[in-house]
Amino acid sequence: MNLDLPLDLERELVSAALAFRAAEPWRELANSDYLLVEDGTRGARALSVLGNGGQQYGLQAYAAECAMEWLALIDQIDAMPTLAPTAMFELLDGESLELGSKKEADTRDLARLKRAGYQPALRTRMAWPMFRQFRPAHFPWHVEEAAARRLIGDLARARRWAELAPGLEGRDPDVSVVLRKLPLVAADLTTERAWTAADLRWVPLKLPAQRSPAPLAVDAAELAAWRKLPRKAGEWLWVDERPQMMQIRGEAGGAPYFPRLAVCLDGRSGMAFPPGMGPAARPYGTSAREALGQALRFMKGRPAEVRTPNMHLAGALEPWLRQADIVLKVQKEPPELEQLWAMLG
């Protein structure tokens, strides 16, 4: 991950952030006053200006790969059960500007601002621009060059949108996002002039198909080792896999990520086998498959059944268990598995 931006680009990025702050677009836009930006065949990105609530100031830009799903999720979040702590970071893809205090900035932020020749006046609110990039299964990190260039353009788009929005009829950010139409602009719409209503198209939110993890590819050699183990009738294992809210440093200065931990329990005794763990970005179910392999080697046999409370995990593991001649069942989580996760959490 190359975070060394050209000096002229750093200066342009900081300048765009300061122009955004000076315009105070949050005075005219609520957080849910989304602006969509065409993004070729990928669909549309979404911009959200933060600050109307007086808590967090800046801009969030969601990539087309997650934008529609994310807007719908945020719209319904108050009515949903508590999300897993990692749910946001598993989905988010995009960039952001946050305007905060010096103590919130890290050494890379401060060095960037110093190179750009920026030093805020004393007691200036929201004085320190911080630029972040979001990638699925990773924690927010500093922007790369392509992300910085997108953010510069989006900061200018947000300013034009804030100028235009107050005079538009029918705009109501308080209506559920799935029930209203959202403004869409072309990717090449200039920000060198003020926008008019004719520059916008109003489109309904188009939700993507439900995400479903891909079945894991089977390693023939390891599967053969599983099949050589004697079958143990009447035995079963529980397996589950969940992301863990802990930061692991990315390689070569890259974004820190969170791991996926898999646990495997003996169905009769409730004894836990050694867990499997790996980066969240690798294929879903890999940690669970590794934990199962360790359990089979430990018990020196194949159970008649493997049970999991997670239907998505069952789909990922299905090729392995079918070819190993092990019955796979999706069942409600037993108390001992629930207790183990509580201890690990």
Side-chain angles (χ1 to χ4, degrees), residues 106-250:
D106 68 15
T107 55
R108 189 179 290 273
D109 294 316
L110 298 177
R112 171 166 292 154
L113 296 172
K114 183 178 181 179
R115 286 192 299 271
Y118 173 66
Q119 179 62 48
L122 293 176
R123 293 183 292 277
T124 303
R125 293 183 66 241
M126 304 169 292
W128 298 88
M130 293 162 279
F131 310 99
R132 293 295 183 268
Q133 186 169 346
F134 294 86
R135 291 297 174 264
H138 290 79
F139 290 91
W141 201 235
H142 297 276
V143 292
E144 297 177 275
E145 184 170 340
R149 295 189 186 282
R150 279 193 300 271
L151 194 50
I152 288 169
D154 286 339
L155 288 166
R157 291 183 181 98
R159 290 165 51 202
R160 289 304 186 193
W161 169 227
E163 293 168 356
L164 175 62
L168 295 174
E169 294 184 3
R171 167 183 147 261
D172 191 351
D174 294 328
V175 173
S176 171
V177 72
V178 297
L179 298 178
R180 59 182 156 111
K181 291 186 176 181
L182 301 176
L184 173 72
V185 295
D188 60 356
L189 176 62
T190 182
T191 56
E192 296 300 315
R193 61 162 174 83
W195 288 355
T196 70
D199 291 316
L200 305 179
R201 285 197 297 122
W202 294 84
V203 298
L205 188 74
K206 185 177 181 181
L207 292 176
Q210 186 174 10
R211 297 176 182 229
S212 182
L216 286 173
V218 174
D219 180 277
E222 185 164 359
L223 179 65
W226 285 22
R227 290 185 63 87
K228 285 181 180 178
L229 295 170
R231 187 176 178 83
K232 294 195 172 184
E235 299 290 331
W236 73 94
L237 297 176
W238 281 98
V239 66
D240 197 10
E241 177 179 316
R242 299 182 186 180
Q244 302 300 298
M245 195 63 165
M246 63 177 73
Q247 288 198 31
I248 297 181
R249 185 188 300 271

Side-chain angles (χ1 to χ4, degrees), residues 11-328:
R11 289 173 173 165
E12 187 179 0
L13 183 61
V14 173
S15 177
L18 298 180
F20 175 89
R21 189 190 69 182
E24 298 185 312
W26 49 81
R27 291 183 178 273
E28 307 295 346
L29 300 173
N31 291 18
S32 57
D33 248 321
Y34 304 116
L35 175 69
L36 304 184
V37 182
E38 288 181 339
D39 196 1
T41 59
R42 300 195 305 168
R45 297 183 297 109
L47 309 185
S48 172
V49 171
L50 307 181
N52 190 263
Q55 298 294 319
Q56 182 182 8
Y57 295 86
L59 177 75
Q60 290 189 341
Y62 309 121
E65 286 79 0
C66 78
M68 302 304 104
E69 188 174 355
W70 180 251
L71 298 192
L73 174 65
I74 293 299
D75 186 63
Q76 299 295 320
I77 201 158
D78 290 338
M80 295 176 65
T82 303
L83 292 175
T86 57
M88 166 180 161
F89 296 134
E90 288 181 274
L91 177 62
L92 270 184
D93 192 347
E95 296 81 43
S96 73
L97 161 71
E98 183 173 351
L99 298 165
S101 64
K102 186 175 182 179
K103 66 181 180 181
E104 295 172 298
D106 68 15
T107 55
R108 189 179 290 273
D109 294 316
L110 298 177
R112 171 166 292 154
L113 296 172
K114 183 178 181 179
R115 286 192 299 271
Y118 173 66
Q119 179 62 48
L122 293 176
R123 293 183 292 277
T124 303
R125 293 183 66 241
M126 304 169 292
W128 298 88
M130 293 162 279
F131 310 99
R132 293 295 183 268
Q133 186 169 346
F134 294 86
R135 291 297 174 264
H138 290 79
F139 290 91
W141 201 235
H142 297 276
V143 292
E144 297 177 275
E145 184 170 340
R149 295 189 186 282
R150 279 193 300 271
L151 194 50
I152 288 169
D154 286 339
L155 288 166
R157 291 183 181 98
R159 290 165 51 202
R160 289 304 186 193
W161 169 227
E163 293 168 356
L164 175 62
L168 295 174
E169 294 184 3
R171 167 183 147 261
D172 191 351
D174 294 328
V175 173
S176 171
V177 72
V178 297
L179 298 178
R180 59 182 156 111
K181 291 186 176 181
L182 301 176
L184 173 72
V185 295
D188 60 356
L189 176 62
T190 182
T191 56
E192 296 300 315
R193 61 162 174 83
W195 288 355
T196 70
D199 291 316
L200 305 179
R201 285 197 297 122
W202 294 84
V203 298
L205 188 74
K206 185 177 181 181
L207 292 176
Q210 186 174 10
R211 297 176 182 229
S212 182
L216 286 173
V218 174
D219 180 277
E222 185 164 359
L223 179 65
W226 285 22
R227 290 185 63 87
K228 285 181 180 178
L229 295 170
R231 187 176 178 83
K232 294 195 172 184
E235 299 290 331
W236 73 94
L237 297 176
W238 281 98
V239 66
D240 197 10
E241 177 179 316
R242 299 182 186 180
Q244 302 300 298
M245 195 63 165
M246 63 177 73
Q247 288 198 31
I248 297 181
R249 185 188 300 271
E251 296 182 3
Y257 62 86
F258 54 87
R260 296 195 75 91
L261 180 67
V263 295
C264 195
L265 300 181
D266 182 279
R268 290 187 178 275
S269 67
M271 180 185 74
F273 294 100
M277 189 173 77
R282 68 180 181 170
Y284 175 72
T286 303
S287 294
R289 194 266 304 158
E290 291 177 352
L292 271 175
Q294 293 186 79
L296 267 59
R297 289 189 289 272
F298 187 88
M299 64 190 294
K300 297 179 180 177
R302 278 179 297 153
E305 294 180 3
V306 166
R307 302 174 185 177
T308 179
N310 188 328
M311 62 180 295
H312 292 301
L313 184 58
L317 295 174
E318 189 276 336
W320 279 82
L321 297 175
R322 172 172 45 81
Q323 295 183 53
D325 196 23
I326 300 173
V327 174
L328 174 62

